[in-house]
């Protein structure tokens, strides 16, 4: 055999091996494509009912949101009505109640002043206290402070 024939045989062998590898690769690719097609079909079968359920859930949620919106507007209306009622009650009864309380305080004070002379003479003068920065200072200490302030 000559060198050209040997080279031709080698090329033919390599060519046969290459075609075999390509045939195996194409067979596996076809198998992968079949599996992918089946997988897509299965996903489509399962996705359609899921999408229908999701659509139903969204519609139900929208209905519930509409109901909550109606309830919230009713609550807002009730709140404004309660506020108006509270203002009306305060303006109607507030002034007279303050006047009654002031009258009661005046009557109590008058009775206590009238009862004090009968108990033994001059009514006791209430001790005068002054609040300075959150502290109560008795009137005796206050007088000392007043005299110091007058000197200085």
């Amino acid at each position: 055999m000559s060198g050209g024939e040997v080279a031709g045989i080698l090329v033919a062998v390599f060519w046969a091996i290459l075609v075999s590898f390509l045939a195996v690769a194409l067979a596996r690719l076809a198998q992968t494509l079949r599996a992918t097609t089946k997988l897509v079909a299965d996903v489509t079968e399962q996705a359609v009912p899921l999408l229908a359920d999701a659509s139903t859930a969204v519609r139900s949620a929208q209905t519930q949101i509409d109901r909550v919106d109606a309830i919230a507007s009713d609550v807002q209306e009730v709140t404004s009505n309660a506020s108006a009622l509270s203002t009306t009650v305060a303006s109607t009864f507030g002034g007279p109640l303050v006047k009654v309380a002031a009258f009661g305080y005046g009557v109590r004070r008058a009775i206590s002043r009238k009862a004090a002379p009968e108990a033994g003479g001059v009514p006791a003068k209430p001790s005068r206290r002054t609040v300075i920065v959150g502290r109560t200072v008795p009137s005796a200490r206050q007088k000392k402070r007043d005299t110091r302030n007058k000197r200085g």
Side-chain angles (χ1 to χ4, degrees):
M1 267 207 240
S2 69
E5 291 175 349
V6 172
I9 292 176
L10 285 175
V11 170
V13 169
F14 284 125
W15 184 254
I17 292 172
L18 179 67
V19 169
S20 300
F21 281 129
L22 287 176
V24 170
L26 285 175
R28 290 194 178 179
L29 181 63
Q31 185 182 10
T32 303
L33 285 174
R34 273 188 244 114
T36 305
T37 304
K38 185 176 185 267
L39 180 67
V40 168
D42 291 345
V43 167
T44 303
E45 277 182 31
Q46 293 177 2
V48 171
L50 287 176
L51 289 175
D53 291 344
S55 177
T56 304
V58 168
R59 285 191 192 106
S60 174
Q62 182 63 37
T63 303
Q64 296 301 324
I65 287 173
D66 291 342
R67 288 180 184 170
V68 168
D69 188 36
I71 291 170
S73 65
D74 291 345
V75 167
Q76 184 179 9
E77 185 178 337
V78 167
T79 302
S80 65
N81 289 343
S83 176
L85 179 64
S86 172
T87 304
T88 303
V89 167
S91 65
T92 302
F93 295 114
L97 285 177
V98 169
K99 290 177 184 177
V100 166
F103 178 74
Y105 175 75
V107 167
R108 252 190 332 216
R109 190 158 178 176
I111 290 173
S112 68
R113 282 190 180 177
K114 196 168 193 177
E118 294 171 0
V122 182
K125 201 175 191 184
S127 67
R128 192 172 147 204
R129 294 181 178 259
T130 306
V131 176
I132 299 174
V133 191
R135 292 180 153 180
T136 303
V137 179
S139 59
R141 288 179 60 191
Q142 180 64 33
K143 288 179 186 176
K144 288 179 185 177
R145 285 185 186 203
D146 289 341
T147 57
R148 278 191 237 152
N149 289 338
K150 288 180 184 177
R151 285 188 238 164

